[in-house]
Amino acid sequence: MKETGPAAEPLLEFAFTAADSRGARVRAVRALQPFGTVAPVRAMAAGHAYSRHEAEEHARLTAALAPWREKFPQVPVVEQVAAGPATAVLLYAAEHSELTVLGRERHPSHLTWKLGPVTHAALHHMPCPVAVVPHD
């Protein structure tokens, strides 16, 4: 789940409604870009900063899911924050999924229908059906 806040609402509504109708769980996934290579002298400081960043992202994910957990208490929720390229993290997370739900920003022009690279890759490589939910 890339978006949080109001942009995530249509995506979460679709995901929770679909999970509820199927008797399935929601796995909310947040991919974090790795810090890359760091000089050995600063490796420990970078690791600490990354752990703090990961904890902050997990807290944001938990907060975004809280109203939906309340609205759909019967739907089990798994939160996953993982380091790596978003496409790889999502493909791994969807290994045994029944449905993958992704968001796509609406574009002001009605002449184009552009997908981001993660959504494009998901449509071609996911092992399950993919729902693309537009949002503002």
Side-chain angles (χ1 to χ4, degrees):
M1 173 177 163
K2 177 180 161 189
E3 292 82 8
T4 56
E9 297 301 311
L11 177 72
L12 291 170
E13 181 176 12
F14 188 96
F16 274 85
T17 301
D20 187 40
S21 69
R22 289 178 166 80
R25 70 179 179 200
V26 167
R27 176 184 299 272
V29 179
R30 179 86 168 134
L32 302 177
Q33 291 301 319
F35 274 3
T37 55
V38 178
V41 175
R42 293 192 283 170
M44 193 160 45
H48 176 69
Y50 189 78
S51 296
R52 188 175 62 242
H53 177 63
E54 186 175 4
E56 290 168 357
E57 289 301 318
H58 201 287
R60 282 189 192 104
L61 181 58
T62 299
L65 294 170
W68 297 97
R69 281 186 154 132
E70 192 173 308
K71 187 174 180 178
F72 293 90
Q74 68 283 7
V75 175
V77 179
V78 175
E79 296 179 22
Q80 180 178 347
V81 177
T87 303
V89 169
L90 290 173
L91 283 170
Y92 181 77
E95 198 169 50
H96 301 290
S97 296
E98 295 177 27
L99 175 68
T100 296
V101 181
L102 299 170
R104 179 186 71 81
E105 288 185 45
R106 295 181 200 267
H107 294 281
S109 171
H110 298 293
L111 302 175
T112 63
W113 194 77
K114 295 181 182 178
L115 296 176
V118 173
T119 303
H120 185 265
L123 288 171
H124 289 283
H125 301 291
M126 281 292 172
C128 60
V130 176
V132 180
V133 179
H135 62 81
D136 295 321

